[in-house]
């Protein structure tokens, strides 16, 4: 007889925050799943069985009241690499481990970063809107873009994702500068032709494209504010694929409205989504995507597999491959 | 030519005129004339005269007029047409931009001193080179300088289509959006297979750019490139284009428009492609059979298309391609950056100056 599979709490199958069927199937290979809605119908019954909480697109949120209903919880396995939405020390204090999915998200995120850079530089969104608009009579000259080849790319944060962005930009003969808490090895730098900027200000002054690729921490929150934006070139573009809170959004709004910088391309904002009347939504020089950095079927599969791997290890009391420890 | 053919030509002319005719304000009109006819240039040394379409709107951006005026007095088509008898004999060069002013026989016959038609851009399918050269007039284009920007555009279109950037933005800013639909799931670019049809200067630069994404590169070309070239970008030659079509996740068209490449991608070719594949076109609209493309996109025979070029440009406002959800279209802006525009204009001017001075023209387009 097949050993009974351990129980896992998930958000839902289908729906905006849910898993595609094929992704849910990956989970079901190893877990009995309870959807959040069903869990709430009978929290006592399910609560006593659930050993893993699978957190996908921030759902179900690992809030204290929910965690207290899961006395057998051994692991919170999050999909994605960012864990700023999880109180790791608190979860650990309940006897549960926290895991994320680094590595597997890096390619897709780096691809999107380059896509946003190019789409903004070359006005692809506006171009499409004009090309398809029934009222279009002629091409406005303000559709002219800025050159990407041989431009200077300043990467803030050169972890795995930042490094992959540097690798991709090399084919465009971009001059790459980076700023990071700790400098990378000479070998790494030479492999992508990246120069270290000890002073973030220098990177901001020299870059045509500023790419934010850092974790959200207390040090990086509000890292890009009025002063930083004022140091940037008026022809420069800011690209953010990290977390919305790293940028002071009011300062960004002002900088974009006044022409202090040319444009911004954001896969992340704070909050997500922005309120429907937020001024950033109306600016002509802003490209916003709804946090789709990892949204490819290939990467989603990889993430779910890793989540499952982490959750199984946690449930079995084995070392969790991607355990997140408090700093 | 039959009646239907003439009707088509007339229809196309009307569409082109709609596209071209701009609702200019009086201020813009004055601005354009001022830029064409500044007193400064008439006081300068005796420079040759060049005919252009206009400054602003569909013509040159004003930021490049300094490059032209270094070597030429310029006259805009509108002003030329006020008095062709007076202006015609002075003009030694046509500086052609966005296919204007069109090198029609009626225009050329009023330019007895014309030495060169210098085109901005590398494509010259809009020029009757044999006819123009038969008049003793040289034709020149601007290869090389356009390649980086066009390759960048191709990659931009590829990524924007694969990752649904345009749809993403539309959803992100829509006042009615309450949640993010699952349909924004895109296809992976890293590690996928890119099939490049046409590995010339631009195609090669696309290969160079895609290498950083760990893409597997296949290419089809009239002539195979050197082993060294292939190895440098990790590209594999597909003698049979069908193989490339079958295996590619992204197919990018980077060929010249010629009798051989017209309609190169039609029903059969699209049916060979993967249903998860994306077609990207930065060549000319006529390289693709558009009706076949519409059918393939509607039926899911291919996943999506991203087109910087169509036929005609622009498409009629009720064309089905404009309303398909899986099509990204940009209005032929492959070279449209400040830096590249300046380089193109400089190259055009260099070609025109050489021709006017009877020197070898750097980028002369010769008959084969």
């Amino acid at each position: 007889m097949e050993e009974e599979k351990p129980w896992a709490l998930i958000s839902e199958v289908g729906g905006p925050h849910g898993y595609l069927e094929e992704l849910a199937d990956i989970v079901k290979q190893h877990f009995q799943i309870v959807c959040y809605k069903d869990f709430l119908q009978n929290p006592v019954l399910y609560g006593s069985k659930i050993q893993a909480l699978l957190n996908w697109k921030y759902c179900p949120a690992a809030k204290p009241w929910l965690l207290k209903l899961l006395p057998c919880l051994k692991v919170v396995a999050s999909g994605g690499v960012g864990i700023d939405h999880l109180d790791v020390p608190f979860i650990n204090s309940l006897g549960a481990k926290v895991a994320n999915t680094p590595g597997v998200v890096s390619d897709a995120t780096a691809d999107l970063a380059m896509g946003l850079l190019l789409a903004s530089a070359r006005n692809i969104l506006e171009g499409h809107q004009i090309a398809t608009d029934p009222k279009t009579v002629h091409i406005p000259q303000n559709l002219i873009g800025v050159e990407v080849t041989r431009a200077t790319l300043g990467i803030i944060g050169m972890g795995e994702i930042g490094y992959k962005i540097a690798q991709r930009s090399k084919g465009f003969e971009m001059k790459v500068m980076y700023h990071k808490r700790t400098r990378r090895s000479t070998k790494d730098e030479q492999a992508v032709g990246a120069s270290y900027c000890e002073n973030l200000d220098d990177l901001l002054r020299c870059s045509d494209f500023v790419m934010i690729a850092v974790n959200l921490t207390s040090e990086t929150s509000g890292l890009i504010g009025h002063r930083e934006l004022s140091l940037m070139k008026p022809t420069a573009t800011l690209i953010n694929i990290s977390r919305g809170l790293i940028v002071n959004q009011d300062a960004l709004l002002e900088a974009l409205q006044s022409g202090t910088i040319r444009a911004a391309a954001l896969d992340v904002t704070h909050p997500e989504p922005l309120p429907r009347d937020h001024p950033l939504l109306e600016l002509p020089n802003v490209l916003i995507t709804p946090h789709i950095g990892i949204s490819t079927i290939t990467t989603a599969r990889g993430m779910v597999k890793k989540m499952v791997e982490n959750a199984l290890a946690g449930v079995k009391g084995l070392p969790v491959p991607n355990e997140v420890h408090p700093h | 030519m039959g009646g239907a053919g003439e009707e088509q030509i007339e229809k196309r002319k009307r569409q082109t005129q709609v596209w071209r005719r701009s609702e200019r304000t009086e201020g813009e009109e004055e601005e354009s004339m001022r830029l064409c006819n500044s007193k400064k240039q008439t006081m300068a040394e005796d420079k040759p005269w060049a005919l252009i379409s206009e400054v602003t709107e569909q013509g040159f951006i004003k930021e490049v007029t300094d490059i032209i005026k270094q070597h030429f007095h310029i006259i805009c088509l509108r002003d030329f047409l006020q008095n062709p008898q007076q202006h015609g004999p002075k003009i030694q060069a046509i500086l052609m931009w966005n296919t204007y002013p069109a090198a029609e026989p009626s225009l050329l016959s009023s330019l007895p001193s014309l030495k060169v038609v210098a085109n901005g851009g590398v494509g010259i399918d809009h020029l009757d080179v044999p006819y123009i050269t038969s008049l003793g007039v040289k034709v020149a284009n601007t290869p090389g300088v356009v390649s980086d920007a066009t390759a960048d555009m191709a990659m931009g279109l590829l990524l924007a289509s694969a990752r649904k950037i345009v749809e993403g933005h539309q959803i992100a800013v829509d006042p009615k959006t309450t949640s993010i639909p699952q349909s924004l799931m895109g296809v992976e670019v890293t590690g996928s297979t890119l099939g490049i049809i046409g590995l010339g200067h631009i195609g090669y630069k696309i290969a160079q750019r895609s290498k950083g994404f760990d893409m597997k590169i296949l290419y089809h070309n009239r002539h195979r490139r050197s082993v060294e070239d292939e190895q440098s970008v990790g590209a594999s030659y597909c003698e049979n284009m069908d193989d490339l079509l079958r295996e590619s996740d992204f197919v990018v068209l980077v060929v010249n428009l010629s009798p051989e490449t017209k309609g190169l991608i039609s029903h059969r070719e699209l049916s060979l492609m993967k249903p998860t594949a994306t077609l990207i076109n930065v060549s000319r609209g006529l390289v693709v059979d558009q009706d076949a493309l519409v059918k393939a996109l509607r039926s899911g025979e291919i996943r999506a298309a991203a087109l910087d070029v169509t036929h005609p440009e622009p498409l009629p406002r009720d064309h089905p391609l404009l309303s398909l959800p899986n099509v990204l279209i940009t209005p032929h802006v492959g070279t449209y950056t400040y830096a590249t525009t300046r380089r193109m204009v400089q190259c055009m001017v260099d070609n025109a100056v050489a021709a006017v001075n009877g020197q070898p023209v750097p980028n002369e387009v010769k008959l084969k």
Side-chain angles (χ1 to χ4, degrees), chain B residues 166-327:
Chain B
V166 170
E167 295 100 302
H169 176 88
Q170 287 166 342
I171 285 163
V173 304
D174 188 339
K176 292 188 258 53
T177 289
T178 51
S179 59
I180 312 303
Q182 294 272 16
S183 59
L184 277 184
M185 193 74 97
V187 291
E188 197 90 2
V189 170
T190 295
S192 64
T193 300
L194 174 65
I196 305 176
I197 300 179
L199 203 71
H201 205 241
I202 298 171
Y204 196 73
K205 283 181 179 267
I206 292 172
Q208 286 172 321
R209 281 147 182 72
S210 64
K211 202 168 165 229
F213 295 79
D214 285 337
M215 295 178 93
K216 179 180 168 187
I217 304 166
L218 306 174
Y219 79 99
H220 177 76
N221 207 38
R222 269 175 310 187
H223 317 291
R224 189 166 175 172
R225 290 202 51 150
S226 70
V227 169
E228 196 189 292
D229 280 351
E230 287 181 354
Q231 281 177 355
S232 162
V233 293
S236 312
Y237 184 56
C238 278
E239 191 162 350
N240 192 332
M241 199 175 81
D242 287 5
D243 294 331
L244 179 152
L245 293 167
R246 282 192 191 97
E247 292 174 35
S248 297
D249 300 302
F250 298 92
V251 174
V252 63
L253 303 173
V254 208
V255 289
N256 291 327
L257 177 62
S258 67
E260 292 85 43
T261 62
K262 186 174 176 197
L264 183 68
I265 304 296
S266 188
H267 293 282
R268 198 187 74 86
E269 290 71 28
L270 292 162
S271 73
L272 291 172
M273 284 172 65
K274 296 182 182 181
T276 49
T278 307
L279 181 73
I280 299 121
N281 190 4
V282 291
S283 311
R284 284 291 183 268
L286 280 171
V287 172
V288 176
D289 174 340
Q290 274 174 185
D291 292 337
L293 180 61
V294 170
K295 208 162 148 199
L297 288 163
R298 276 193 178 134
S299 66
E301 198 163 55
I302 67 171
R303 185 197 73 97
L307 316 169
D308 189 43
V309 288
T310 58
H311 182 75
E313 282 167 15
L315 289 170
R317 297 292 86 193
D318 59 355
H319 197 284
L321 273 176
L322 300 186
S323 50
L324 287 176
N326 49 352
V327 176

Side-chain angles (χ1 to χ4, degrees), chain A:
Chain A
M1 272 198 308
E2 200 195 72
E3 194 186 287
E4 211 188 84
K5 294 180 199 162
W7 288 73
L9 175 63
I10 68 165
S11 53
E12 57 183 342
V13 182
H17 301 292
Y19 298 76
L20 295 173
E21 285 282 353
E22 69 155 285
L23 299 176
D25 288 345
I26 298 173
V27 180
K28 285 184 202 171
Q29 271 175 9
H30 300 280
F31 285 94
Q32 278 267 49
I33 59 171
V34 184
C35 295
Y36 187 63
K37 276 198 180 100
D38 299 327
F39 169 80
L40 292 176
Q41 303 285 346
N42 202 336
V44 175
L45 170 67
Y46 292 121
S48 59
K49 296 188 182 172
I50 289 164
Q51 298 189 64
L53 191 162
L54 303 187
N55 187 278
W56 182 255
K57 297 188 191 180
Y58 308 128
C59 299
K63 298 244 161 71
W65 68 262
L66 175 62
L67 297 172
K68 286 188 173 129
L69 293 173
L70 306 171
C72 305
L73 189 69
K74 292 207 170 74
V75 61
V76 173
S78 185
V81 63
I83 41 92
D84 48 280
H85 59 290
L86 296 171
D87 186 341
V88 179
F90 176 70
I91 297 168
N92 288 164
S93 74
L94 301 175
K97 297 186 177 185
V98 178
N100 62 352
T101 62
V104 69
V105 298
S106 307
D107 286 326
T109 310
D111 289 351
L112 185 75
M114 292 306 293
L116 287 174
L117 186 156
L118 285 159
S120 176
R122 300 303 298 274
N123 294 319
I124 289 180
L125 170 70
E126 295 88 333
H128 177 81
Q129 288 169 339
I130 284 160
T132 54
D133 188 339
K135 292 189 257 50
T136 289
V137 170
H138 63 93
I139 312 298
Q141 291 205 331
N142 63 8
L143 211 48
I144 197 163
V146 291
E147 197 91 0
V148 170
T149 296
R150 285 184 294 277
T152 300
L153 172 63
I155 306 178
I156 304 177
M158 190 78 127
E160 189 164 325
I161 294 173
Y163 196 72
K164 282 179 181 267
I165 293 169
Q167 284 172 321
R168 281 149 181 71
S169 68
K170 205 167 166 231
F172 297 80
E173 296 175 72
M174 294 182 93
K175 179 180 169 188
V176 178
M177 323 176 104
Y178 77 101
H179 177 75
K180 195 177 182 289
R181 273 174 307 188
T182 48
R183 190 170 174 167
R184 278 236 180 196
S185 70
T186 313
K187 185 172 153 207
D188 280 351
E189 288 181 353
Q190 280 175 357
V192 294
S195 319
Y196 183 58
C197 273
E198 192 161 349
N199 192 332
L200 177 61
D201 288 3
D202 294 331
L203 180 151
L204 295 168
R205 281 193 191 97
C206 300
S207 297
D208 300 302
F209 298 92
V210 175
M211 175 76 68
I212 304 173
V214 284
N215 292 328
L216 176 63
T217 63
S218 47
E219 288 93 44
T220 62
S221 183
L223 181 67
I224 304 296
H226 289 281
R227 199 187 73 85
E228 289 71 28
L229 291 161
S230 71
L231 290 173
M232 283 172 66
K233 295 182 183 180
T235 50
T237 307
L238 181 73
I239 302 124
N240 190 3
I241 45 98
S242 305
R243 285 291 183 268
L245 279 170
I246 294 166
V247 176
N248 175 334
Q249 274 174 187
D250 292 333
L252 178 62
L253 185 64
E254 217 183 288
L256 289 164
Q257 283 168 332
S258 63
T260 301
I261 67 171
R262 185 196 76 98
L266 316 169
D267 188 42
V268 288
T269 58
H270 183 76
E272 283 168 18
L274 287 169
R276 297 293 84 194
D277 58 355
H278 197 285
L280 270 178
L281 301 185
E282 289 175 355
L283 290 181
N285 49 351
V286 176
L287 176 60
I288 304 182
T289 46
H291 205 152
I292 50 172
I294 48 89
S295 291
T296 72
I297 189 66
T298 310
T299 294
R301 269 189 218 122
M303 281 166 69
V304 171
K305 284 189 182 142
K306 250 203 199 268
M307 269 166 73
V308 165
E309 201 185 304
N310 287 328
L312 268 180
V315 160
K316 290 179 181 166
L318 297 167
V320 173
N322 305 113
E323 186 175 355
V324 178
H325 301 280
H327 295 293

Side-chain angles (χ1 to χ4, degrees), chain B residues 91-103:
Chain B
I91 291 163
Q92 297 191 63
I94 291 178
L95 303 181
M96 188 172 285
W97 192 256
N98 282 339
T99 76
Y100 296 105

